[in-house]
């Protein structure tokens, strides 16, 4: 296992070849030093880079708020409608989770965009497609109260026959309030995970049913060491990395060695290397729920 001097020497040598400080992914790939060997000695990759006398290389720049909202608006313009999270994931330039973290959840984006685009003529066509939460729905002003009540009652009574689209009941997000995932209808967990911590919790709840036993969990890479059953009375050790979406593994610059399984809520990395297994909990939970029923 390399010591601190050897790691810093390797970083400096690679920086000399590249003409700049290497990213973590470039380092573990080129120097063939496991990522956990680095994090055993340094809390963060940039700490190791600075200890080698270099300035960190900013490979990924944090997008500004106006860039995120402008791209969301361009997606509305392209689709001629407010996009669902999935539709934006397919058509937008940024990851949906980036917008959710920045603006307080996916339902908050229409209002955030309206605030951003207010008074800007170039966004007038998009604003016409984005509903104003403060305005009543089209035709609501002209509906007599008694008729409105009867229509509401009729809608309630017929709800089992004609389901109302969920979008009908989307409301503006309240500031400084937590947001939740879709109702999960799974024992002891009321809502779907919305972040990596939720994935960790859910995996811990179902690990036994999936044939896993957790040995340890840590802050560095990989997140978890576990054993899983491979046959009658036979178990094998595996290294697990938790991610909310599987392609976050790639975006976080993790080494392609040292991890056997990615446990995620949503598998959206079609080019995931074949030697890394992916456990998509959103799919597995449905199977577990059916087996319990």
């Amino acid at each position: 296992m390399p010591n601190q001097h050897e790691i810093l020497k390797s970083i400096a040598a690679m920086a000399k070849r590249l003409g700049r400080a290497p990213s973590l992914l470039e380092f573990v790939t080129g120097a063939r030093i496991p990522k956990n060997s680095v994090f055993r000695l340094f809390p963060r990759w940039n700490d190791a880079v600075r200890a080698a006398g270099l300035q960190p290389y900013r490979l990924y720049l944090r997008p500004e708020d106006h860039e995120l909202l402008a791209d969301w608006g361009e997606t509305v313009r392209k689709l001629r409608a407010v996009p669902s999270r999935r539709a934006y994931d397919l058509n937008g330039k940024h990851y949906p989770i980036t917008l959710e973290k920045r603006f307080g959840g996916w339902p908050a984006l229409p209002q955030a965009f309206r605030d951003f685009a207010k008074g800007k003529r170039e966004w007038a066509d998009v604003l016409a497609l984005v509903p104003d939460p403060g305005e009543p729905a089209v035709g609501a002003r002209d509906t007599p109260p008694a008729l409105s009540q009867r229509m509401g009652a009729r809608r309630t009574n017929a709800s089992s026959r004609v389901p109302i689209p969920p979008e009908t009941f989307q409301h503006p997000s309240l500031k400084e309030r937590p947001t939740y995932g879709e109702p999960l209808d799974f024992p002891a967990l009321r809502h779907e995970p919305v972040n990596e911590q939720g994935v960790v919790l859910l995996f811990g709840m179902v690990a036994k049913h999936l044939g896993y036993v957790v040995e340890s969990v840590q802050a560095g890479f990989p997140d978890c060491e576990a054993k899983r059953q491979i046959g009658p009375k036979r178990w094998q050790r595996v290294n697990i990395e938790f991610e909310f979406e599987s392609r976050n593994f790639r975006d976080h610059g993790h080494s392609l060695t040292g991890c056997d399984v990615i446990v995620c809520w949503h598998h959206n990395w079609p080019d995931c290397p074949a030697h890394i297994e992916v456990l998509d909990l959103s799919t597995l939970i449905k199977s577990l729920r059916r087996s319990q029923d």
Side-chain angles (χ1 to χ4, degrees):
M1 185 172 292
N3 58 34
Q4 182 171 329
H5 174 73
E6 291 170 333
I7 289 176
L8 295 179
K9 185 178 178 180
S10 296
I11 293 174
M14 187 171 291
K16 187 175 181 179
R17 293 197 303 271
L18 295 173
R20 56 169 173 77
S23 68
L24 177 58
L25 181 58
E26 289 172 327
F27 180 75
V28 298
T29 303
R32 298 186 181 278
I33 294 178
K35 185 178 176 182
N36 55 357
S37 296
V38 178
F39 290 140
R40 181 176 57 87
L41 301 168
F42 301 95
R44 295 181 296 272
W45 169 245
N46 286 344
D47 294 334
V49 171
R50 294 187 182 95
L54 302 166
Q55 286 298 316
Y57 173 55
R58 300 294 182 183
L59 181 60
Y60 300 106
L61 298 178
R62 173 186 169 89
E64 298 292 336
D65 286 2
H66 67 86
E67 295 175 309
L68 295 173
L69 292 171
D71 185 63
W72 187 88
E74 289 293 351
T75 306
V76 174
R77 180 177 281 152
K78 175 182 177 181
L79 301 177
R80 305 300 300 168
V82 172
S84 65
R85 190 181 191 279
R86 176 63 175 165
Y88 180 82
D89 193 23
L90 295 173
N91 295 277
K93 296 179 180 178
H94 303 280
Y95 294 120
I97 194 170
T98 303
L99 282 78
E100 290 172 326
K101 288 182 177 179
R102 195 74 63 87
F103 301 106
W106 196 255
L109 280 164
Q111 185 58 54
F113 178 81
R114 292 190 67 86
D115 294 340
F116 156 75
K118 185 177 181 180
K120 298 176 181 176
R121 296 179 61 184
E122 66 271 23
W123 292 112
D125 62 317
V126 178
L127 283 172
L129 299 170
V130 179
D132 184 349
E135 290 291 326
V138 175
R141 294 190 189 93
D142 305 324
T143 305
L147 178 59
S148 178
Q149 291 176 2
R150 290 198 299 272
M151 289 173 63
R154 186 180 306 153
R155 174 180 291 179
T156 301
N157 295 334
S159 60
S160 60
R161 299 190 301 275
V162 185
I164 302 169
E167 291 78 5
T168 304
F169 296 104
Q170 286 188 359
H171 303 282
S173 176
L174 299 177
K175 294 182 179 180
E176 300 179 357
R177 296 283 182 90
T179 57
Y180 304 89
E182 283 288 313
L184 186 56
D185 189 26
F186 192 74
L189 192 65
R190 297 284 298 277
H191 296 271
E192 294 179 356
V194 295
N195 50 40
E196 184 177 316
Q197 288 76 17
V199 172
V200 176
L201 174 63
L202 181 56
F203 177 75
M205 294 169 59
V206 301
K208 180 180 178 181
H209 300 285
L210 298 176
Y212 285 82
V213 173
V214 174
E215 292 286 335
S216 65
V217 179
Q218 63 180 12
F221 176 86
D223 292 325
C224 173
E225 179 185 307
K227 291 190 179 80
R228 64 181 178 182
Q229 192 167 14
I230 59 172
K233 299 183 180 181
R234 293 292 183 270
W235 296 73
Q236 195 171 56
R237 189 184 307 275
V238 290
N239 292 326
I240 296 173
E241 184 69 15
F242 297 111
E243 300 287 359
F244 178 66
E245 295 181 327
S246 58
R247 69 180 177 192
N248 293 150
F249 185 97
R250 175 199 64 192
D251 301 335
H252 293 162
H254 291 313
S255 171
L256 297 180
T257 60
C259 175
D260 303 301
V261 183
I262 299 173
V263 175
C264 62
W265 176 247
H266 177 50
H267 182 22
N268 61 350
W269 188 15
D271 298 326
C272 178
H275 70 277
I276 300 180
E277 182 181 340
V278 177
L279 283 184
D280 183 333
L281 290 182
S282 65
T283 301
L284 290 170
I285 289 301
K286 294 177 183 177
S287 300
L288 287 175
R289 194 163 52 202
R290 283 196 298 268
S291 65
Q292 290 177 349
D293 295 340

